[in-house]
């Protein structure tokens, strides 16, 4: 889920980087808040700026200032199911990043853009992968796994066992 958050941060960063005036080696500074998520979002936010030849500096003397304030980060799992009778269990994953973004042109003295933006990623993963993609040391990468529904958990195996029992009964009664 860290990689997904990084790609979501890169897409939000790209929406800001597109607003830069095309110039060679323009300087910019990036500030990410809160600091406990900055360590894994920093590269994702800065990457689109570096792709547009923006030199990232650590001080506030740079022409452009980028403020990336995380409002909400969430992993949500839903719809735990089996794709087929004998297949493994899968679930839908939705990763959401809501951030307050601001791009300031310090030379012109104007705010290029400001406001909240959301980036969302959705896919289907195997239940067995959940432990591998979540990081125990980063709470925002973990979500709550929904309970399995009645049909998949109890009724489906009972139907399979019943069908096999009927097939065996018919097999032996037809032979005699």
């Amino acid at each position: 889920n860290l990689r997904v958050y990084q790609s979501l941060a890169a897409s939000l960063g790209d929406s800001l980087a597109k607003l830069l005036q095309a110039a060679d080696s323009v300087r910019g500074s990036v500030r990410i808040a809160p600091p406990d998520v900055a360590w894994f979002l920093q590269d994702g936010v800065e990457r689109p700026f570096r792709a547009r030849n923006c030199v990232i500096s650590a001080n506030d003397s740079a022409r452009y200032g980028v403020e990336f304030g995380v409002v909400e980060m969430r992993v949500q799992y839903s719809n735990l199911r089996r794709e087929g009778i004998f297949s493994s269990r899968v679930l839908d994953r939705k990763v959401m990043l809501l951030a307050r973004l601001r791009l300031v042109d310090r030379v012109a003295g104007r705010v290029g853009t400001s406001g909240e933006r959301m980036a969302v990623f959705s896919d289907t993963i195997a239940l067995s992968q959940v432990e591998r993609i979540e990081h125990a040391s980063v709470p925002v990468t973990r979500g709550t796994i929904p309970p399995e529904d009645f049909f998949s958990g109890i009724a489906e195996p009972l139907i399979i066992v019943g069908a096999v029992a009927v097939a065996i009964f018919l097999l032996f009664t037809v032979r005699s």
Side-chain angles (χ1 to χ4, degrees), residues 2 30-43 45 67-71 73 137-140:
L2 280 179
V30 176
R31 254 188 292 160
I32 298 178
D36 60 330
V37 297
W39 66 272
F40 64 88
L41 294 180
Q42 190 83 32
D43 184 60
V45 174
E67 296 174 11
F68 190 98
V70 174
V71 176
M73 298 174 80
S137 61
V138 185
V140 295

Side-chain angles (χ1 to χ4, degrees), residues 13 16-17 20 25-33 42 45-47 49-50 53-69 101-107:
L16 290 177
L20 292 181
S25 299
V26 67
R27 295 179 98 48
S29 64
V30 176
R31 254 188 292 160
I32 298 178
Q42 190 83 32
V45 174
E46 291 177 355
R47 192 178 320 124
F49 289 94
R50 287 193 302 265
N53 297 322
C54 182
V55 177
I56 304 297
S57 65
N59 58 23
D60 288 337
S61 65
R63 175 176 180 174
Y64 291 101
V66 176
E67 296 174 11
F68 190 98
L101 307 176
R102 189 170 147 163
L103 176 66
V104 178
D105 184 344
R106 294 185 181 118
V107 173

Side-chain angles (χ1 to χ4, degrees), residues 69-114:
V70 174
V71 176
E72 184 179 3
M73 298 174 80
R74 182 179 30 176
V75 176
Q76 182 177 352
Y77 298 115
S78 61
N79 196 16
L80 180 61
R81 66 198 180 280
R82 290 183 191 272
E83 297 276 303
I85 292 178
F86 296 111
S87 64
S88 62
R89 293 182 294 175
V90 296
L91 48 83
D92 296 332
R93 171 179 66 161
K94 182 178 175 184
V95 181
M96 190 264 304
L97 173 62
L98 176 65
R100 188 171 293 118
L101 307 176
R102 189 170 147 163
L103 176 66
V104 178
D105 184 344
R106 294 185 181 118
V107 173
R110 65 178 179 87
V111 175
T113 187
S114 181

Side-chain angles (χ1 to χ4, degrees), residues 150-173:
F150 174 76
F151 185 75
S152 295
I154 297 171
E156 190 175 277
L158 288 176
I159 291 171
I160 293 170
V161 169
V164 169
V166 167
I168 291 172
F169 174 75
L170 290 175
L171 177 70
F172 286 109
T173 57

Side-chain angles (χ1 to χ4, degrees), residues 103-152:
L103 176 66
V104 178
D105 184 344
R106 294 185 181 118
V107 173
R110 65 178 179 87
V111 175
T113 187
S114 181
E116 288 186 357
R117 294 201 184 143
M118 180 184 295
V120 178
F121 175 81
S122 298
D123 66 346
T124 301
I125 60 170
L127 182 62
S128 59
Q129 289 182 332
V130 170
E131 191 174 312
R132 186 178 56 82
I133 62 174
E134 291 183 341
H135 290 74
S137 61
V138 185
V140 295
T141 64
R142 295 189 304 250
T144 304
I145 297 172
E148 195 169 16
D149 65 343
F150 174 76
F151 185 75
S152 295

